[in-house]
Amino acid sequence: MAEQDVPGDLVDRRRAVRDLGRALRALGTASVMSEVPTKILCQARLLVAEATSILGATSRQAGVPSSVDDPYNGVRMFSPMTGEGSPFVAPLSFETVDGVASATCTFGEAFEGPPHHVHGGISAMLMDHALGHVVAESGKPGLTRKLVVQYLRPVPSGMELLVRGRVVASGDGDVFAQAWIAAAAVPGTRLVTADGHFRLLRPEQAAKLMKHFA
């Protein structure tokens, strides 16, 4: 849905969510990199606690969609991988050419496992999301049934990464897809690969999953 078709108050709120997401991601990076004196850390904790109290003054219940979301038009503002309001990861944006979806991203020190390298669990989450994206984009959205991740080489932190995925087969309610991670500067050398098996949702399952957005 184009922004001009969205009510003005919702546009403003989504912009505020985006700005807050950026600020929270910057805060997370600053907190894990900080070497300020202990006194300053304590002062920062009090400021964060105040912000937490302000944001928590009015909350939605768990399982209830956010007022800024519109999943029928692909808007999930707090998705951990694509949400512009996510406090964790800068939102991924995929482009598809000849059946291959591609996106770039960078994971800083907040996502380290081994020093200077991205935690393997983050790579697995990234692969699951990339696979889910290409499956949904194929017109046959489903849920992950099996995910097999192979770690070929360490994934550097602080380096622009290229994420790609494609559907390789489908039939009888199942879709199979592949995804991989490479350094953007060396796209031909795969660092992590994944194979995903997705099960298509039956109409009644999709209706149940989406009922909160009706």
Side-chain angles (χ1 to χ4, degrees):
M1 181 180 294
E3 191 169 86
Q4 61 265 26
D5 298 324
V6 178
D9 57 342
L10 182 54
V11 170
D12 291 343
R13 187 170 181 82
R14 284 178 176 171
R15 287 174 179 167
V17 166
R18 294 183 192 116
D19 291 343
L20 178 59
R22 293 189 191 102
L24 290 172
R25 293 192 295 271
L27 175 63
T29 298
S31 68
V32 301
M33 297 298 291
S34 180
E35 291 294 342
V36 299
T38 302
K39 181 179 179 180
I40 303 301
L41 288 176
C42 294
Q43 292 175 352
R45 177 187 62 80
L46 293 175
L47 291 172
V48 172
E50 182 180 0
T52 300
S53 177
I54 291 171
L55 290 171
T58 303
S59 300
R60 56 189 168 97
Q61 294 181 345
V64 175
S66 169
S67 59
V68 294
D69 282 352
D70 182 4
Y72 291 113
N73 287 294
V75 180
R76 295 295 305 278
M77 295 292 290
F78 299 106
S79 166
M81 280 291 172
T82 59
E84 293 181 284
S86 169
F88 309 112
V89 179
L92 290 174
S93 180
F94 283 94
E95 293 185 0
T96 301
V97 178
D98 296 331
V100 178
S102 301
T104 57
C105 60
T106 302
F107 292 98
E109 289 76 5
F111 301 94
E112 282 187 345
H116 310 303
H117 291 88
V118 178
H119 191 289
I122 298 298
S123 296
M125 181 169 67
L126 183 57
M127 290 289 84
D128 185 45
H129 181 79
L131 291 165
H133 173 84
V134 295
V135 168
E137 195 174 57
S138 73
K140 299 178 180 179
L143 299 178
T144 309
R145 188 168 187 175
K146 185 177 182 180
L147 175 66
V148 179
V149 179
Q150 296 188 69
Y151 299 94
L152 306 178
R153 298 172 177 83
V155 177
S157 59
M159 177 182 291
E160 185 177 41
L161 303 173
L162 176 64
V163 184
R164 284 180 167 160
R166 64 183 178 184
V167 170
V168 295
S170 63
D172 297 326
D174 295 296
V175 181
F176 300 88
Q178 295 177 339
W180 58 95
I181 302 171
V186 193
T189 300
R190 299 183 181 187
L191 307 177
V192 178
T193 63
D195 293 284
H197 173 192
F198 288 74
R199 187 68 179 173
L200 303 185
L201 292 172
R202 296 191 301 273
E204 63 273 18
Q205 291 175 318
K208 183 178 180 179
L209 188 64
M210 300 297 285
K211 66 180 181 179
H212 291 301
F213 296 98

CSV table of all heavy atoms in Angstrom, one decimal, residues 159-213:
chain,number,residue,atom,x,y,z
A,159,MET,N,31.1,-6.4,8.3
A,159,MET,CA,31.3,-6.5,6.9
A,159,MET,C,30.0,-6.6,6.2
A,159,MET,O,29.1,-7.3,6.7
A,159,MET,CB,32.2,-7.7,6.5
A,159,MET,CG,32.5,-7.9,5.0
A,159,MET,SD,33.5,-9.3,4.7
A,159,MET,CE,35.1,-8.8,5.4
A,160,GLU,N,29.8,-5.9,5.1
A,160,GLU,CA,28.6,-6.0,4.3
A,160,GLU,C,28.5,-7.4,3.8
A,160,GLU,O,29.4,-8.0,3.1
A,160,GLU,CB,28.6,-5.0,3.2
A,160,GLU,CG,27.2,-5.0,2.4
A,160,GLU,CD,27.1,-4.0,1.3
A,160,GLU,OE1,28.1,-3.8,0.6
A,160,GLU,OE2,26.1,-3.4,1.2
A,161,LEU,N,27.3,-8.0,4.0
A,161,LEU,CA,27.0,-9.4,3.6
A,161,LEU,C,26.0,-9.4,2.5
A,161,LEU,O,25.1,-8.6,2.5
A,161,LEU,CB,26.6,-10.2,4.8
A,161,LEU,CG,27.5,-10.3,6.0
A,161,LEU,CD1,26.8,-11.0,7.1
A,161,LEU,CD2,28.8,-11.0,5.6
A,162,LEU,N,26.1,-10.4,1.6
A,162,LEU,CA,25.1,-10.6,0.6
A,162,LEU,C,24.3,-11.9,0.9
A,162,LEU,O,24.9,-12.9,1.2
A,162,LEU,CB,25.8,-10.8,-0.8
A,162,LEU,CG,24.9,-11.1,-2.0
A,162,LEU,CD1,23.9,-9.9,-2.2
A,162,LEU,CD2,25.7,-11.4,-3.2
A,163,VAL,N,23.0,-11.7,1.0
A,163,VAL,CA,22.1,-12.8,1.3
A,163,VAL,C,21.3,-13.1,0.1
A,163,VAL,O,20.6,-12.2,-0.5
A,163,VAL,CB,21.2,-12.5,2.5
A,163,VAL,CG1,20.3,-13.7,2.9
A,163,VAL,CG2,22.0,-12.0,3.7
A,164,ARG,N,21.2,-14.4,-0.3
A,164,ARG,CA,20.5,-14.8,-1.5
A,164,ARG,C,19.7,-16.0,-1.2
A,164,ARG,O,20.0,-16.9,-0.4
A,164,ARG,CB,21.4,-15.0,-2.7
A,164,ARG,CG,21.9,-13.7,-3.3
A,164,ARG,CD,22.8,-13.9,-4.5
A,164,ARG,NE,23.0,-12.6,-5.2
A,164,ARG,CZ,24.0,-12.4,-6.0
A,164,ARG,NH1,24.9,-13.4,-6.3
A,164,ARG,NH2,24.1,-11.2,-6.7
A,165,GLY,N,18.5,-16.2,-2.0
A,165,GLY,CA,17.7,-17.4,-1.8
A,165,GLY,C,16.9,-17.6,-3.1
A,165,GLY,O,16.6,-16.7,-3.9
A,166,ARG,N,16.5,-18.8,-3.3
A,166,ARG,CA,15.6,-19.2,-4.4
A,166,ARG,C,14.9,-20.5,-4.1
A,166,ARG,O,15.3,-21.3,-3.3
A,166,ARG,CB,16.5,-19.4,-5.6
A,166,ARG,CG,17.5,-20.6,-5.5
A,166,ARG,CD,18.3,-20.8,-6.7
A,166,ARG,NE,19.3,-21.9,-6.5
A,166,ARG,CZ,20.2,-22.2,-7.4
A,166,ARG,NH1,20.4,-21.5,-8.5
A,166,ARG,NH2,21.0,-23.2,-7.1
A,167,VAL,N,13.7,-20.6,-4.7
A,167,VAL,CA,12.9,-21.8,-4.6
A,167,VAL,C,13.5,-22.8,-5.6
A,167,VAL,O,13.8,-22.4,-6.8
A,167,VAL,CB,11.4,-21.5,-4.9
A,167,VAL,CG1,10.6,-22.8,-5.1
A,167,VAL,CG2,10.8,-20.7,-3.8
A,168,VAL,N,13.6,-24.1,-5.2
A,168,VAL,CA,14.2,-25.1,-6.1
A,168,VAL,C,13.2,-26.1,-6.6
A,168,VAL,O,13.3,-26.8,-7.6
A,168,VAL,CB,15.4,-25.8,-5.5
A,168,VAL,CG1,16.5,-24.8,-5.3
A,168,VAL,CG2,15.1,-26.4,-4.2
A,169,ALA,N,12.1,-26.3,-5.8
A,169,ALA,CA,11.1,-27.3,-6.1
A,169,ALA,C,9.9,-27.1,-5.3
A,169,ALA,O,9.9,-26.5,-4.2
A,169,ALA,CB,11.6,-28.7,-5.9
A,170,SER,N,8.7,-27.6,-5.8
A,170,SER,CA,7.5,-27.5,-5.1
A,170,SER,C,6.5,-28.6,-5.6
A,170,SER,O,6.6,-29.1,-6.7
A,170,SER,CB,6.8,-26.1,-5.2
A,170,SER,OG,6.5,-25.9,-6.5
A,171,GLY,N,5.6,-29.0,-4.7
A,171,GLY,CA,4.6,-30.0,-5.1
A,171,GLY,C,4.0,-30.7,-3.9
A,171,GLY,O,4.6,-30.8,-2.9
A,172,ASP,N,2.7,-31.1,-4.0
A,172,ASP,CA,2.0,-31.8,-3.0
A,172,ASP,C,2.0,-31.1,-1.6
A,172,ASP,O,2.2,-31.7,-0.6
A,172,ASP,CB,2.6,-33.2,-2.8
A,172,ASP,CG,2.4,-34.1,-4.0
A,172,ASP,OD1,1.4,-33.9,-4.7
A,172,ASP,OD2,3.3,-34.9,-4.3
A,173,GLY,N,1.9,-29.7,-1.7
A,173,GLY,CA,1.8,-29.0,-0.5
A,173,GLY,C,3.2,-28.6,0.1
A,173,GLY,O,3.2,-28.1,1.3
A,174,ASP,N,4.3,-29.0,-0.5
A,174,ASP,CA,5.6,-28.7,0.0
A,174,ASP,C,6.4,-27.8,-1.0
A,174,ASP,O,6.2,-27.9,-2.2
A,174,ASP,CB,6.4,-30.0,0.2
A,174,ASP,CG,5.8,-30.9,1.2
A,174,ASP,OD1,5.7,-30.5,2.4
A,174,ASP,OD2,5.3,-32.0,0.9
A,175,VAL,N,7.2,-27.0,-0.4
A,175,VAL,CA,8.1,-26.1,-1.2
A,175,VAL,C,9.5,-26.3,-0.6
A,175,VAL,O,9.7,-26.3,0.6
A,175,VAL,CB,7.7,-24.6,-1.1
A,175,VAL,CG1,8.6,-23.8,-2.0
A,175,VAL,CG2,6.3,-24.4,-1.6
A,176,PHE,N,10.5,-26.4,-1.5
A,176,PHE,CA,11.9,-26.5,-1.1
A,176,PHE,C,12.7,-25.4,-1.7
A,176,PHE,O,12.5,-25.0,-2.8
A,176,PHE,CB,12.4,-27.9,-1.7
A,176,PHE,CG,11.7,-29.1,-1.2
A,176,PHE,CD1,10.6,-29.6,-1.8
A,176,PHE,CD2,12.1,-29.7,0.0
A,176,PHE,CE1,9.9,-30.7,-1.3
A,176,PHE,CE2,11.4,-30.8,0.5
A,176,PHE,CZ,10.3,-31.3,-0.2
A,177,ALA,N,13.5,-24.8,-0.8
A,177,ALA,CA,14.3,-23.6,-1.2
A,177,ALA,C,15.7,-23.7,-0.7
A,177,ALA,O,16.0,-24.5,0.2
A,177,ALA,CB,13.6,-22.4,-0.7
A,178,GLN,N,16.6,-22.9,-1.3
A,178,GLN,CA,18.0,-22.8,-0.9
A,178,GLN,C,18.3,-21.3,-0.6
A,178,GLN,O,17.8,-20.4,-1.3
A,178,GLN,CB,18.9,-23.3,-2.0
A,178,GLN,CG,18.8,-24.8,-2.2
A,178,GLN,CD,19.7,-25.3,-3.3
A,178,GLN,OE1,20.1,-24.5,-4.2
A,178,GLN,NE2,20.0,-26.6,-3.4
A,179,ALA,N,19.2,-21.1,0.3
A,179,ALA,CA,19.7,-19.7,0.6
A,179,ALA,C,21.2,-19.8,1.0
A,179,ALA,O,21.7,-20.9,1.4
A,179,ALA,CB,18.9,-19.1,1.7
A,180,TRP,N,21.8,-18.7,0.9
A,180,TRP,CA,23.2,-18.6,1.3
A,180,TRP,C,23.7,-17.2,1.6
A,180,TRP,O,23.0,-16.3,1.3
A,180,TRP,CB,24.1,-19.2,0.1
A,180,TRP,CG,24.0,-18.5,-1.2
A,180,TRP,CD1,24.8,-17.5,-1.7
A,180,TRP,CD2,23.0,-18.7,-2.2
A,180,TRP,NE1,24.4,-17.1,-2.9
A,180,TRP,CE2,23.3,-17.9,-3.3
A,180,TRP,CE3,21.9,-19.6,-2.3
A,180,TRP,CZ2,22.5,-17.8,-4.5
A,180,TRP,CZ3,21.2,-19.6,-3.5
A,180,TRP,CH2,21.5,-18.7,-4.6
A,181,ILE,N,24.8,-17.2,2.3
A,181,ILE,CA,25.4,-15.9,2.8
A,181,ILE,C,26.8,-15.8,2.2
A,181,ILE,O,27.5,-16.8,2.2
A,181,ILE,CB,25.5,-15.8,4.3
A,181,ILE,CG1,24.1,-15.9,5.0
A,181,ILE,CG2,26.2,-14.5,4.7
A,181,ILE,CD1,24.2,-16.0,6.5
A,182,ALA,N,27.2,-14.7,1.7
A,182,ALA,CA,28.5,-14.4,1.2
A,182,ALA,C,28.9,-13.0,1.5
A,182,ALA,O,28.1,-12.2,1.9
A,182,ALA,CB,28.6,-14.6,-0.3
A,183,ALA,N,30.2,-12.8,1.5
A,183,ALA,CA,30.7,-11.4,1.7
A,183,ALA,C,30.3,-10.6,0.4
A,183,ALA,O,30.5,-11.2,-0.7
A,183,ALA,CB,32.2,-11.3,1.9
A,184,ALA,N,29.7,-9.4,0.5
A,184,ALA,CA,29.3,-8.7,-0.7
A,184,ALA,C,30.4,-8.5,-1.6
A,184,ALA,O,30.2,-8.4,-2.8
A,184,ALA,CB,28.6,-7.4,-0.2
A,185,ALA,N,31.6,-8.3,-1.1
A,185,ALA,CA,32.8,-8.1,-1.9
A,185,ALA,C,33.3,-9.3,-2.7
A,185,ALA,O,34.0,-9.2,-3.6
A,185,ALA,CB,33.9,-7.5,-1.1
A,186,VAL,N,32.9,-10.5,-2.2
A,186,VAL,CA,33.3,-11.8,-2.8
A,186,VAL,C,32.0,-12.6,-2.9
A,186,VAL,O,31.9,-13.7,-2.2
A,186,VAL,CB,34.4,-12.5,-1.9
A,186,VAL,CG1,35.0,-13.6,-2.7
A,186,VAL,CG2,35.4,-11.5,-1.5
A,187,PRO,N,31.1,-12.3,-3.8
A,187,PRO,CA,29.8,-13.0,-3.8
A,187,PRO,C,29.9,-14.4,-4.2
A,187,PRO,O,28.9,-15.2,-3.9
A,187,PRO,CB,29.0,-12.1,-4.8
A,187,PRO,CG,30.0,-11.5,-5.7
A,187,PRO,CD,31.2,-11.2,-4.8
A,188,GLY,N,30.9,-14.8,-4.9
A,188,GLY,CA,31.0,-16.2,-5.3
A,188,GLY,C,31.5,-17.2,-4.3
A,188,GLY,O,31.5,-18.4,-4.5
A,189,THR,N,31.9,-16.7,-3.1
A,189,THR,CA,32.4,-17.6,-2.0
A,189,THR,C,31.4,-17.6,-0.9
A,189,THR,O,31.2,-16.6,-0.2
A,189,THR,CB,33.7,-17.0,-1.5
A,189,THR,OG1,34.7,-17.0,-2.5
A,189,THR,CG2,34.2,-18.0,-0.3
A,190,ARG,N,30.7,-18.7,-0.8
A,190,ARG,CA,29.6,-18.9,0.2
A,190,ARG,C,30.2,-19.2,1.6
A,190,ARG,O,31.1,-20.0,1.7
A,190,ARG,CB,28.6,-20.0,-0.3
A,190,ARG,CG,28.0,-19.7,-1.6
A,190,ARG,CD,27.0,-20.7,-2.0
A,190,ARG,NE,26.4,-20.4,-3.3
A,190,ARG,CZ,25.3,-21.0,-3.9
A,190,ARG,NH1,24.8,-22.0,-3.2
A,190,ARG,NH2,24.9,-20.6,-5.0
A,191,LEU,N,29.7,-18.5,2.5
A,191,LEU,CA,30.1,-18.6,3.9
A,191,LEU,C,29.1,-19.6,4.7
A,191,LEU,O,29.6,-20.4,5.5
A,191,LEU,CB,30.1,-17.3,4.6
A,191,LEU,CG,30.9,-16.2,3.9
A,191,LEU,CD1,30.8,-14.9,4.7
A,191,LEU,CD2,32.4,-16.6,3.8
A,192,VAL,N,27.9,-19.4,4.4
A,192,VAL,CA,26.8,-20.3,5.0
A,192,VAL,C,25.8,-20.6,4.0
A,192,VAL,O,25.5,-19.8,3.1
A,192,VAL,CB,26.1,-19.5,6.2
A,192,VAL,CG1,25.0,-20.4,6.8
A,192,VAL,CG2,27.1,-19.1,7.3
A,193,THR,N,25.4,-21.9,4.0
A,193,THR,CA,24.3,-22.3,3.0
A,193,THR,C,23.2,-22.9,3.8
A,193,THR,O,23.4,-23.4,5.0
A,193,THR,CB,24.8,-23.3,2.0
A,193,THR,OG1,25.2,-24.5,2.6
A,193,THR,CG2,25.9,-22.7,1.2
A,194,ALA,N,22.0,-23.0,3.3
A,194,ALA,CA,20.9,-23.6,4.0
A,194,ALA,C,19.9,-24.2,3.0
A,194,ALA,O,19.7,-23.6,1.9
A,194,ALA,CB,20.1,-22.5,4.8
A,195,ASP,N,19.3,-25.3,3.3
A,195,ASP,CA,18.2,-25.9,2.6
A,195,ASP,C,17.0,-25.9,3.5
A,195,ASP,O,17.0,-26.3,4.6
A,195,ASP,CB,18.6,-27.3,2.2
A,195,ASP,CG,19.7,-27.4,1.2
A,195,ASP,OD1,19.5,-27.1,0.0
A,195,ASP,OD2,20.8,-27.7,1.6
A,196,GLY,N,15.9,-25.4,2.9
A,196,GLY,CA,14.6,-25.4,3.7
A,196,GLY,C,13.5,-26.1,3.1
A,196,GLY,O,13.3,-26.1,1.8
A,197,HIS,N,12.7,-26.8,3.9
A,197,HIS,CA,11.5,-27.5,3.5
A,197,HIS,C,10.4,-26.8,4.2
A,197,HIS,O,10.3,-26.7,5.4
A,197,HIS,CB,11.6,-29.0,3.9
A,197,HIS,CG,10.4,-29.8,3.7
A,197,HIS,ND1,10.2,-31.0,4.3
A,197,HIS,CD2,9.2,-29.5,3.0
A,197,HIS,CE1,9.0,-31.5,3.9
A,197,HIS,NE2,8.4,-30.6,3.1
A,198,PHE,N,9.5,-26.3,3.3
A,198,PHE,CA,8.3,-25.5,3.9
A,198,PHE,C,7.0,-26.3,3.5
A,198,PHE,O,6.9,-26.8,2.4
A,198,PHE,CB,8.3,-24.1,3.2
A,198,PHE,CG,9.3,-23.2,3.8
A,198,PHE,CD1,10.7,-23.4,3.4
A,198,PHE,CD2,9.0,-22.2,4.7
A,198,PHE,CE1,11.6,-22.5,3.9
A,198,PHE,CE2,10.0,-21.4,5.2
A,198,PHE,CZ,11.3,-21.5,4.8
A,199,ARG,N,6.1,-26.2,4.4
A,199,ARG,CA,4.8,-26.9,4.3
A,199,ARG,C,3.8,-25.8,4.0
A,199,ARG,O,3.7,-24.8,4.8
A,199,ARG,CB,4.4,-27.7,5.5
A,199,ARG,CG,3.1,-28.5,5.3
A,199,ARG,CD,3.3,-29.6,4.3
A,199,ARG,NE,2.1,-30.4,4.1
A,199,ARG,CZ,1.9,-31.4,3.2
A,199,ARG,NH1,2.9,-31.7,2.4
A,199,ARG,NH2,0.8,-32.0,3.1
A,200,LEU,N,3.0,-25.9,2.9
A,200,LEU,CA,2.0,-24.9,2.6
A,200,LEU,C,0.9,-24.9,3.7
A,200,LEU,O,0.5,-26.0,4.2
A,200,LEU,CB,1.4,-25.1,1.2
A,200,LEU,CG,2.4,-25.1,0.1
A,200,LEU,CD1,1.7,-25.2,-1.3
A,200,LEU,CD2,3.3,-23.8,0.1
A,201,LEU,N,0.3,-23.7,3.9
A,201,LEU,CA,-0.8,-23.6,4.9
A,201,LEU,C,-2.1,-24.0,4.1
A,201,LEU,O,-2.3,-23.5,3.0
A,201,LEU,CB,-0.9,-22.2,5.4
A,201,LEU,CG,0.2,-21.8,6.4
A,201,LEU,CD1,0.1,-20.3,6.7
A,201,LEU,CD2,0.2,-22.6,7.7
A,202,ARG,N,-2.9,-24.8,4.8
A,202,ARG,CA,-4.3,-25.0,4.3
A,202,ARG,C,-5.1,-23.7,4.5
A,202,ARG,O,-4.7,-22.9,5.4
A,202,ARG,CB,-4.9,-26.2,5.0
A,202,ARG,CG,-4.2,-27.5,4.7
A,202,ARG,CD,-5.1,-28.7,5.2
A,202,ARG,NE,-5.3,-28.6,6.6
A,202,ARG,CZ,-4.5,-29.1,7.6
A,202,ARG,NH1,-3.4,-29.7,7.3
A,202,ARG,NH2,-4.8,-28.9,8.9
A,203,PRO,N,-6.1,-23.5,3.8
A,203,PRO,CA,-6.9,-22.3,3.9
A,203,PRO,C,-7.4,-22.0,5.4
A,203,PRO,O,-7.3,-20.9,5.9
A,203,PRO,CB,-8.1,-22.5,3.0
A,203,PRO,CG,-7.6,-23.4,1.9
A,203,PRO,CD,-6.6,-24.3,2.6
A,204,GLU,N,-7.8,-23.1,6.0
A,204,GLU,CA,-8.3,-22.9,7.4
A,204,GLU,C,-7.1,-22.6,8.4
A,204,GLU,O,-7.3,-21.8,9.4
A,204,GLU,CB,-9.0,-24.1,7.9
A,204,GLU,CG,-8.2,-25.4,8.0
A,204,GLU,CD,-8.2,-26.2,6.7
A,204,GLU,OE1,-8.5,-25.6,5.6
A,204,GLU,OE2,-7.8,-27.4,6.7
A,205,GLN,N,-5.9,-23.1,8.1
A,205,GLN,CA,-4.7,-22.8,8.9
A,205,GLN,C,-4.3,-21.3,8.7
A,205,GLN,O,-4.0,-20.6,9.7
A,205,GLN,CB,-3.6,-23.7,8.5
A,205,GLN,CG,-3.7,-25.1,8.9
A,205,GLN,CD,-2.6,-26.0,8.4
A,205,GLN,OE1,-2.1,-25.9,7.3
A,205,GLN,NE2,-2.1,-26.9,9.3
A,206,ALA,N,-4.3,-20.9,7.4
A,206,ALA,CA,-4.0,-19.5,7.2
A,206,ALA,C,-5.0,-18.5,7.8
A,206,ALA,O,-4.6,-17.5,8.4
A,206,ALA,CB,-4.0,-19.2,5.6
A,207,ALA,N,-6.3,-18.9,7.8
A,207,ALA,CA,-7.3,-18.0,8.4
A,207,ALA,C,-7.1,-18.0,9.9
A,207,ALA,O,-7.3,-16.9,10.5
A,207,ALA,CB,-8.7,-18.6,8.0
A,208,LYS,N,-6.8,-19.1,10.5
A,208,LYS,CA,-6.5,-19.1,12.0
A,208,LYS,C,-5.3,-18.2,12.3
A,208,LYS,O,-5.3,-17.5,13.3
A,208,LYS,CB,-6.3,-20.5,12.4
A,208,LYS,CG,-6.2,-20.6,13.9
A,208,LYS,CD,-6.0,-22.1,14.4
A,208,LYS,CE,-5.8,-22.2,15.9
A,208,LYS,NZ,-5.7,-23.6,16.3
A,209,LEU,N,-4.3,-18.3,11.5
A,209,LEU,CA,-3.0,-17.6,11.8
A,209,LEU,C,-3.3,-16.1,11.6
A,209,LEU,O,-2.7,-15.3,12.4
A,209,LEU,CB,-2.0,-18.1,10.8
A,209,LEU,CG,-0.5,-17.5,11.1
A,209,LEU,CD1,0.0,-18.1,12.4
A,209,LEU,CD2,0.4,-18.0,9.9
A,210,MET,N,-4.1,-15.7,10.7
A,210,MET,CA,-4.3,-14.3,10.4
A,210,MET,C,-5.6,-13.7,11.0
A,210,MET,O,-5.9,-12.5,10.8
A,210,MET,CB,-4.4,-14.1,8.9
A,210,MET,CG,-3.2,-14.6,8.1
A,210,MET,SD,-1.7,-13.6,8.5
A,210,MET,CE,-2.0,-12.1,7.7
A,211,LYS,N,-6.2,-14.4,11.9
A,211,LYS,CA,-7.5,-14.0,12.4
A,211,LYS,C,-7.4,-12.6,13.1
A,211,LYS,O,-8.4,-11.8,13.1
A,211,LYS,CB,-8.2,-15.0,13.2
A,211,LYS,CG,-7.4,-15.3,14.5
A,211,LYS,CD,-8.2,-16.4,15.3
A,211,LYS,CE,-7.5,-16.7,16.7
A,211,LYS,NZ,-8.2,-17.7,17.5
A,212,HIS,N,-6.3,-12.4,13.8
A,212,HIS,CA,-6.1,-11.2,14.6
A,212,HIS,C,-6.1,-9.9,13.7
A,212,HIS,O,-6.3,-8.8,14.2
A,212,HIS,CB,-4.9,-11.3,15.5
A,212,HIS,CG,-5.0,-12.3,16.6
A,212,HIS,ND1,-5.9,-12.2,17.5
A,212,HIS,CD2,-4.2,-13.4,16.8
A,212,HIS,CE1,-5.8,-13.3,18.4
A,212,HIS,NE2,-4.7,-14.0,17.9
A,213,PHE,N,-5.8,-10.1,12.4
A,213,PHE,CA,-5.7,-9.0,11.5
A,213,PHE,C,-6.9,-8.7,10.8
A,213,PHE,O,-7.0,-7.8,9.9
A,213,PHE,CB,-4.5,-9.2,10.6
A,213,PHE,CG,-3.2,-9.3,11.2
A,213,PHE,CD1,-2.6,-10.6,11.5
A,213,PHE,CD2,-2.5,-8.2,11.6
A,213,PHE,CE1,-1.4,-10.7,12.1
A,213,PHE,CE2,-1.3,-8.3,12.2
A,213,PHE,CZ,-0.7,-9.5,12.5
